[in-house]
Amino acid sequence: MPAREPGAVEPSAERAAALDRRMRERLEESLRYLVSEVSGPLDLDPALLEGFCERLRSGPVPPLAFGAYFELVLALENGDWEAARELLQEIAAAPNHAGGPVVLDLADPASDRGASRYHRLIDTDPNEPFQVLPPPPELARACRERISEAFELLGRGDPELAREIRGLLREIVLAVGPIRPGSMTFDGASSFMLWGAIVLNPRMFQSALEVAQALAHESGHNLLFGLCVDGSLVENDDEPRYTSPLRRDLRPMDGIVHATFVTARMHRSLLQLRASGALSGVEDAEAGRLLADHVRNFAMGWEIVDRDARLTERGKHVMADARRHMQAHAGA
Amino acid sequence: MSRNEKLLTPIPLDWSRLLGFDQVTHTDANQPAALRDARLTKVGAKPCQIRNPALGDEPSLPPRRR
């Protein structure tokens, strides 16, 4: 999927739909390869996934179906054939997604299979482990209202972004982190392995504008996942770590590129919301503060990308577009 | 091959044909643990602005949120 039109920073619902189609095509190709390799050793019907592949071609599937695929690969790598067999059968039974994005409370990972997968596929960094937990009902209820208000705000002030987010996301999962001293928590999270899902922490958002920014941010990670479905954004080895504009811990270059790009995406959305007149006076003042933050953070991220990133052609295009946006609107 | 043997036998995979894992740029096949970490790093989660609210541990880098 070329990232040419209309530019990586400008939202496009049409591009979101194309990326989702391409991601499903790649999933089908990979699943067909895996089935050809394992149906014999696992005594499985080689046509086991035909029905699911038909559904993949017809429309979106749940993020957890993508997650099951990644867990299948890891099970095969580990030689855990029983788990692989169960995962293949689960994938075979996965339905199309009804449409969305659907806002879900994370269930208890200790007792719910889907929540457990969300937890495993979000908590993937051995250097920075963190927990996701079910949200308190009151917090979740308030956050749902803010999400609804945020979509209304984006619909009035940045409608193409609202449409793009609806095209990229199937599920918005509400989850909190532990608050005991010494534990780590998060504002939001996304994972290539959970294509179409984002996790938001309802403790962190006090207004519709903040949620609108979080939606632009986390869906921006999904956009990049889609844009690199046929190849990475960077050629850097993943071991060296760099200072991130949005994280206190050091991150691989792929993470720096992501953080820098989504900063430009949030900046663009705020400018659009301001220009549309959709913001209240209070929101406009908050937007002004956030815009200054984004300018500073982008400059910090860009300095590292410019100095140390070995961008692929796709990565160059994506980041040049982000840079153009910031230079044009903020002199960054 | 017995069932127990099967459970212990990894299936060699062509990672270039696997969605997401084909992006991994760590290529030192002599370091399987590092290679596995690299695979998970590439396709793993992008949690944003981790902090410790109980300690009032606001991030040392701006912005205030996100």
Side-chain angles (χ1 to χ4, degrees), chain B residues 17-40:
Chain B
R17 300 181 67 177
L18 296 175
L19 171 64
F21 295 110
D22 56 358
Q23 299 176 44
V24 174
T25 46
H26 182 104
T27 54
D28 188 350
N30 294 320
Q31 297 183 51
L35 188 54
R36 182 184 168 83
D37 284 351
R39 287 179 185 132
L40 282 176

Side-chain angles (χ1 to χ4, degrees), chain A residues 127-131 177-186 248, chain B residues 50-57:
Chain A
N127 298 315
E128 196 68 71
F130 73 101
Q131 274 186 290
I179 54 172
R180 60 181 180 271
S183 60
M184 305 302 286
T185 188
F186 62 97
R248 291 182 301 116
Chain B
I50 293 171
R51 57 186 153 179
N52 184 340
L55 298 178
D57 185 14

